[in-house]
Amino acid sequence: MSDWEEDWDNGDSKATSKPYNKRNNAKDNSISNRSDESGRHRSSENRAPIRYPQAGEKRSNGQRHKHSEKIEVPSDLVGMLIGRGGANIQRIQNDYNVRVDLDKESGTATINGNTEQNVKDAYNDIEHHLNNGPGSRYNSKDGSSGHQSNAIYNFQLKGRNNKPGDTDDIEMDPSGVIDWEALNKKAKKERAARWSKLPELRKDFYNEDPEVANLTPREVARLREENNNITVSRVFQQENVSENIPNPVWKFEQCFSAYPDLLEEIYKQDFRKPSPIQSQAWPILLKGEDMIGIAQTGTGKTLAFLLPAMIHTEYQLTPRSQRKGPNVLVLAPTRELALQIEKEVNKYSFRGMKAVCVYGGGNRREQISVVKGGVEIIICTPGRLNDLIEAEVIDVTSITYLILDEADRMLDMGFEPQIRKVLLDIRPDRQTVMTSATWPPGVRRLAQSYMSNPIQVCVGSLDLAATHTVKQVIEIMDDGDKFYKIREFVRNMGKDDKAIVFCGKKTRADDLSSDLTLEGYMCACIHGSREQSDREQAIADITSGHIKLLIATDVASRGLDIEDITHVINFDFPRNIEEYVHRVGRTGRAGRSGTSISFITREDWGVAKELISILEEADQEVPIDLRNMAERFKSMKDRRANESSKFNDRDGNSGSRGYRGGGGAGGRGRRDRY
Ligand code: AMP
């Protein structure tokens, strides 16, 4: 569950009234309710003991186990034993067919299993983990202590990249103060030694077509402007240094004529020409430059980084058969996006290159077996990647082309530590691509730390363009009327209609889907707490037309690319205007027309102004009630600002009692709730 979905679930939301709620939504303690979209573990302090269900098993099954063993777990190592989103404990349960109950209060883990051997093996695994995991100071059964010193423990707690044993000879003074300078010097030396052993890397595969090379600066500017107003710059380069950014292309052949088999694959897709991001990204990436693409899903960004990745992989100096592991790593925030990328990769067969999608919630054993079988491209969510790196299934030192897809989203979801951890293990001279819908400070810092003089390419969203092919209808109503409205809509759906209904909260989505089902309308529902297999089935069912109605939350629907959606219904209005644009872009795809219908309530007034701008820009009808809402909101803001300045004048400080800042035009941040 994402942070914001959780906020809404905690009742910090406008959408709290559920007039048609017929079910008890009391939360159970199952692992899905403690995990987010990507299986992120949620704090479970004060819950003891924790019972971790096995894969496919619901919670308590009343089963009695014949063998049992207890192991002591120091409280500060409980999290490490559980692993991200319960990944480690689940792995132990799956691998040894045991059940592990953790009692955080007494600091014990009880292992139950049907054979003595299984329990013993699980015991040894846990003991090994506690002894050897990061920060371990655990004393095992035989009295020997974990091999890491306190110095290393502290070092790792500070989030530095370090391997056990790296700092064995670092002196600590008697008061326990670490000599950071010596430590950093040593780490730098060791890193240099580590990378020096790797094979030489080739990154430049670009032969600029004379037609492209001969463009005048004025023609280049015009091309960029016509291509959805692309802007390019070296974001971190000092002024007055030549930027040296390759010219954009406008034909596939200008980039890929040297690779006729790849060109054939592109022709099979029947695309007319490179999308704006592709027209600029391909020359940059084929030249071996690092790139930041400020672009959303639907802009063709996947293909923009994928085709250069394939060429990069194929034409390294070391033959593919002699390489030690995958070359391309794509990190994506959600399982849906990771699967979507895999689908896109699999459309292009190039020299037998294989890709695998690795994500929390998928079949771990199957994913491991594919990875071990040899793949060139790994697409994964950060949590599962770390899990597999720790289990030594994936070795990222062979990665030479790295993509951080939807970086802003990954940071929003709290993946920054995992990303930074992985990045430190990838050779620093790699080629790095980052995509992001926005450019907040967190993303900027990440790019500054881990990219080499990157070129930033900003592209106006094609989704935004899509809003021009979509009829946008606004319906203002009370929350209590929404269900009757949606029922009326479903009743009147034509035989070729397909709709996605967006809800703000998972419980809303669950309630709506069950109530529509009870009324006899077939639908499927996807959100962060649904089993991965159910989510995939729901997407397959709406894609095939088996069902016509998909109820979804934003997070679960990210990356959805279903061509023939005719309607998008905003049952709950999204928390920000970007999400609105993104949702609307789920229809009107691939040259088709579409309709979006948004149910707006009084509580949505904070977004009315931005919504009006979008509607006006796309030449859509703006209801007078929406304009009134925007006016009322503005008056309220002015009044509060006035009160606040009076308050400041009086107290001589800038206290901001009560009112929490305005929504901010175009901001991605959380919408104010009143
Ligand atoms: P993405 O932004 O990567 O999610 O891509 C969205 C959709 O655009 C996918 O279905 C792609 O197959 C499609 N696409 C990619 N490149 C092009 C292109 N040059 N012209 C038309 N569609 C494209």
Side-chain angles (χ1 to χ4, degrees):
M1 180 166 67
S2 74
D3 294 342
W4 73 268
E5 256 190 308
E6 185 197 8
D7 280 350
W8 281 48
D9 269 358
N10 285 339
D12 186 12
S13 146
K14 64 189 175 62
T16 44
S17 56
K18 284 189 288 251
Y20 54 89
N21 185 2
K22 297 169 188 161
R23 290 178 302 113
N24 175 11
N25 284 311
K27 285 181 182 173
D28 75 13
N29 215 8
S30 70
I31 200 140
S32 60
N33 269 348
R34 284 180 289 105
S35 302
D36 70 7
E37 294 282 329
S38 300
R40 205 155 33 123
H41 180 65
R42 305 218 8 84
S43 165
S44 50
E45 297 296 324
N46 311 324
R47 267 194 220 123
I50 306 167
R51 156 85 168 86
Y52 284 88
Q54 297 193 41
E57 179 200 343
K58 294 293 168 205
R59 292 188 64 240
S60 175
N61 56 9
Q63 180 190 335
R64 286 200 175 276
H65 290 102
K66 291 190 194 119
H67 298 273
S68 181
E69 182 84 65
K70 283 189 191 307
I71 184 165
E72 226 179 89
V73 184
S75 60
D76 55 340
L77 297 185
V78 169
M80 184 187 76
L81 177 60
I82 292 170
R84 206 163 172 286
N88 191 48
I89 207 99
Q90 282 204 357
R91 175 189 62 76
I92 293 167
Q93 294 191 134
N94 286 342
D95 287 356
Y96 305 108
N97 198 18
V98 294
R99 207 185 80 188
V100 180
D101 291 325
L102 267 173
D103 188 337
K104 290 173 85 179
E105 266 153 32
S106 67
T108 41
T110 309
I111 310 159
N112 295 297
N114 285 330
T115 71
E116 195 179 351
Q117 190 59 45
N118 282 357
V119 172
K120 215 163 133 190
D121 289 346
Y123 185 101
N124 289 338
D125 191 315
I126 293 176
E127 192 180 63
H128 176 81
H129 210 78
L130 295 173
N131 267 327
N132 297 289
S136 173
R137 290 155 295 120
Y138 176 76
N139 287 313
S140 63
K141 227 181 185 181
D142 62 7
S144 64
S145 67
H147 70 262
Q148 293 185 77
S149 67
N150 269 333
I152 295 172
Y153 176 60
N154 292 335
F155 188 45
Q156 285 174 334
L157 276 183
K158 292 204 190 310
R160 308 297 171 107
N161 182 37
N162 203 11
K163 292 264 174 277
D166 275 355
T167 54
D168 280 352
D169 56 349
I170 291 293
E171 293 286 326
M172 241 195 337
D173 76 13
S175 65
V177 174
I178 299 166
D179 182 350
W180 283 108
E181 202 180 315
L183 204 55
N184 283 333
K185 226 161 139 184
K186 183 173 189 300
K188 205 171 158 190
K189 212 168 106 194
E190 281 174 356
R191 265 201 302 273
R194 182 177 175 204
W195 301 127
S196 69
K197 295 185 196 108
L198 292 171
E200 193 189 329
L201 183 57
R202 228 187 121 190
K203 293 204 281 195
D204 187 353
F205 305 95
Y206 193 47
N207 279 322
E208 198 174 40
D209 188 294
E211 211 177 5
V212 178
N214 291 334
L215 289 171
T216 63
R218 187 188 282 249
E219 285 169 325
V220 168
R222 190 179 46 80
L223 254 175
R224 287 184 179 141
E225 200 185 315
E226 283 171 0
N227 252 327
N228 225 19
N229 222 350
I230 311 172
T231 55
V232 289
S233 67
R234 297 236 183 219
V235 264
F236 304 124
Q237 187 158 300
Q238 290 149 354
E239 273 176 45
N240 304 328
V241 179
S242 159
E243 289 200 309
N244 195 17
I245 296 173
N247 290 344
V249 297
W250 59 97
K251 295 181 211 161
F252 297 111
E253 298 76 11
Q254 287 163 339
C255 279
F256 303 110
S257 57
Y259 316 101
D261 43 350
L262 198 54
L263 205 50
E264 272 310 311
E265 293 294 308
I266 302 173
Y267 290 153
K268 278 188 206 160
Q269 305 300 320
D270 267 345
F271 297 149
R272 218 165 40 84
K273 60 174 190 157
S275 74
I277 180 100
Q278 292 161 359
S279 72
Q280 188 59 84
W282 282 335
I284 292 171
L285 294 176
L286 286 171
K287 222 168 169 289
E289 300 267 9
D290 281 6
M291 190 194 86
I292 302 161
I294 303 293
Q296 300 201 352
T297 305
T299 52
K301 67 182 166 71
T302 313
L303 205 58
F305 60 69
L306 179 69
L307 299 186
M310 287 177 155
I311 291 169
H312 169 105
T313 302
E314 179 62 17
Y315 295 100
Q316 287 307 314
L317 299 169
T318 317
R320 261 167 63 194
S321 58
Q322 289 169 29
R323 291 180 216 157
K324 299 249 160 29
N327 279 100
V328 180
L329 173 64
V330 188
L331 278 178
T334 63
R335 306 158 192 170
E336 275 73 21
L337 183 62
L339 286 166
Q340 187 79 37
I341 297 167
E342 185 192 33
K343 209 169 111 197
E344 196 68 10
V345 174
N346 288 335
K347 285 184 192 165
Y348 304 87
S349 105
F350 183 57
R351 313 277 165 95
M353 233 167 250
K354 287 200 253 5
V356 64
C357 183
V358 175
Y359 54 92
N363 186 322
R364 192 174 182 274
R365 275 169 204 260
E366 213 171 90
Q367 292 172 358
I368 290 176
S369 118
V370 179
V371 172
K372 287 196 163 163
V375 289
E376 285 78 18
I377 302 170
I378 294 197
I379 305 145
C380 55
T381 51
R384 178 54 63 97
L385 177 67
N386 271 307
D387 165 29
L388 294 184
I389 290 175
E390 262 170 39
E392 295 182 5
V393 174
I394 294 180
D395 178 1
V396 288
T397 52
S398 58
I399 299 296
T400 51
Y401 192 105
L402 171 75
I403 298 119
L404 303 172
D405 201 13
E406 298 203 356
D408 53 348
R409 197 80 180 175
M410 287 200 277
L411 298 194
D412 277 355
M413 293 174 76
F415 283 134
E416 185 163 356
Q418 284 88 349
I419 296 171
R420 287 191 181 262
K421 186 164 175 274
V422 173
L423 285 174
L424 287 163
D425 270 342
I426 304 179
R427 55 189 288 173
D429 59 348
R430 65 179 178 253
Q431 188 170 359
T432 310
V433 187
M434 181 189 270
T435 79
S436 185
T438 54
W439 186 232
V443 176
R444 212 171 306 156
R445 272 197 308 272
L446 200 64
Q448 204 152 14
S449 314
Y450 297 104
M451 298 182 87
S452 163
N453 197 10
I455 299 174
Q456 189 188 62
V457 181
C458 297
V459 176
S461 163
L462 286 190
D463 280 347
L464 198 58
T467 59
H468 290 216
T469 60
V470 176
K471 180 171 181 222
Q472 300 174 63
V473 179
I474 304 297
E475 294 193 9
I476 296 175
M477 64 186 74
D478 289 334
D479 197 67
D481 293 332
K482 286 180 176 179
F483 181 67
Y484 305 105
K485 275 280 174 194
I486 191 92
R487 197 174 54 181
E488 187 186 320
F489 166 82
V490 178
R491 202 178 282 151
N492 293 325
M493 272 173 85
K495 104 176 156 25
D496 294 326
D497 287 349
K498 267 189 195 180
I500 303 181
V501 181
F502 285 98
C503 293
K505 297 199 295 180
K506 295 188 289 187
T507 48
R508 293 273 282 185
D510 275 338
D511 289 345
L512 182 58
S513 78
S514 66
D515 294 341
L516 285 171
T517 308
L518 285 174
E519 299 253 346
Y521 302 111
M522 275 238 302
C523 61
C525 177
I526 54 170
H527 60 61
S529 291
R530 289 269 161 140
E531 293 279 328
Q532 181 61 25
S533 52
D534 292 344
R535 286 154 73 165
E536 284 169 30
Q537 189 60 51
I539 293 170
D541 284 346
I542 185 105
T543 306
S544 69
H546 182 64
I547 54 149
K548 306 283 190 184
L549 199 58
L550 179 70
I551 320 285
T553 59
D554 286 318
V555 177
S557 68
R558 202 121 187 128
L560 266 188
D561 184 22
I562 303 161
E563 271 186 8
D564 53 354
I565 297 292
T566 55
H567 292 78
V568 161
I569 314 289
N570 289 315
F571 189 77
D572 294 319
F573 200 80
R575 66 183 187 128
N576 62 39
I577 207 70
E578 284 85 355
E579 209 63 65
Y580 172 79
V581 171
H582 179 76
R583 286 182 184 182
V584 170
R586 301 305 93 203
T587 179
R589 292 175 89 76
R592 293 176 163 86
S593 60
T595 304
S596 81
I597 304 170
S598 300
F599 296 172
I600 306 268
T601 66
R602 217 191 96 77
E603 286 80 7
D604 296 313
W605 64 340
V607 84
K609 182 170 170 255
E610 290 167 311
L611 178 58
I612 291 169
S613 306
I614 296 274
L615 294 171
E616 282 177 342
E617 198 267 337
D619 237 352
Q620 302 288 309
E621 195 182 319
V622 180
I624 186 73
D625 285 350
L626 190 66
R627 291 194 193 278
N628 292 340
M629 257 187 190
E631 279 299 313
R632 280 202 306 275
F633 183 74
K634 185 174 177 304
S635 313
M636 182 276 294
K637 267 177 83 175
D638 292 347
R639 203 176 55 244
R640 295 259 174 116
N642 237 331
E643 282 165 11
S644 163
S645 69
K646 272 191 217 151
F647 169 74
N648 289 343
D649 289 348
R650 206 175 54 231
D651 288 8
N653 63 33
S654 59
S656 58
R657 233 186 264 162
Y659 175 61
R660 285 181 291 145
R668 192 181 162 78
R670 193 160 296 199
R671 185 150 55 89
D672 288 323
R673 294 173 288 257
Y674 298 93

